[in-house]
Amino acid sequence: QVTLRESGPALVRPTETLTLTCTFSGFSLSSSGLSVNWIRQRPGKALEWLALVDGIGDKFYARGLRTRLTISRDTSKNQAVLTMTNMDPMDTATYYCARTPVTGNGGGWFDPWGQGTRVTVSS
Amino acid sequence: DIQMTQSPSSLSASVGDTVTITCRASQTIMFWLAWYQQKSDKAPKSLIYEASSLQSGVPSRFSGSGSGRDFTLTISGLQPEDFATYYCQQYNSYPITFGQGTRLEIK
C-alpha cells in the first residue's frame, strides 16, 4: 500500500523559510519512472503544482516560484523535502505531496496524495 | 505555460443525471491529461489518467475522452457521493498545470 504524509510547521512568519517533509511508504524514490510532487491549494482556489523530484534525482519547478523553491529527496529515509524561501501571506495554503506512478517528459498524474498540511503565513 | 480552461465553472444536477465537464488546453497535449475529484477539505483523488484510463478502484460511471486540446469527463448516473469539485491537469510539458475546477452541486 502506497501512502504519503506531509509534515511541517502550521504557522510561519513573513520572510521566513518554510520546510515541508513528505514521508512515504510502499515505494522507493530510487526507482526510475516514479516521482514525488508538491502541490498547494490556497483557500478557495484551484490546485497549483509546485515541484517534482524523480527517481534519478532530476528536479522540476513551477516557473513563477522557481527562485524560491528547492526540492530534494532522501532515499534512505523515504522522504521528499520542499523548502520555500521568503514566505508571504499569499503563500497561506494547504500543501500536498503526491506520487507520480509513471513519469514522462512532462511529469505525470498524481496518485495517491497525502492528506495535506495547512500552512498559515502571518506575523 | 500551458493554460487549462474548464467549463462550466459550476453546475447543478440531480442524482441519476449524466453530466459532462470540458477541459481545453491552450496548446496540444496529446492525451497527457488527468482528472481529479476533490471533496471539501479533503485531498484530491485521481479518477482518470492518459485522458481515458480509469484509475483502479474508480467506478465505471466515470469516463474520460479527448485528445489534442479538447477533453471531457463524463459521469453517468450521478450518485450522492459524486457531488464535489473536479479538476483537469496536463502533464504534456513542464510546468504541470491544472484547470480552475468545476464545482458540481446537487440540484
Side-chain angles (χ1 to χ4, degrees), chain A residues 108-122:
Chain A
W109 74 99
F110 308 124
D111 180 73
W113 297 58
Q115 64 185 19
T117 186
R118 187 167 297 185
V119 178
T120 300
V121 184
S122 175

Side-chain angles (χ1 to χ4, degrees), chain A residues 41 63 105 107-108 110-111 114, chain B residues 1 36 38 43 55 87 89 94:
Chain A
Q41 187 170 36
R63 193 183 307 275
N105 291 335
F110 308 124
D111 180 73
Chain B
D1 299 3
Y36 302 90
Q38 187 179 32
Q55 187 71 46
Y87 292 94
Q89 172 237 329
Y94 293 107

Side-chain angles (χ1 to χ4, degrees), chain A residues 1 9 12 32 34 38 44 56 61-62 67 70 82 85 87 89 102 112-113:
Chain A
Q1 182 189 6
V12 297
S32 64
L34 294 172
W38 283 96
I56 59 172
Y61 297 98
T67 60
T70 302
L82 182 76
T85 61
M87 292 293 285
V102 179
W113 297 58

Side-chain angles (χ1 to χ4, degrees), chain A residues 4 19 66 68 95 99 102:
Chain A
L4 304 96
T19 299
R66 184 188 307 268
R68 298 176 54 207
Y95 288 76
R99 185 191 71 158
V102 179

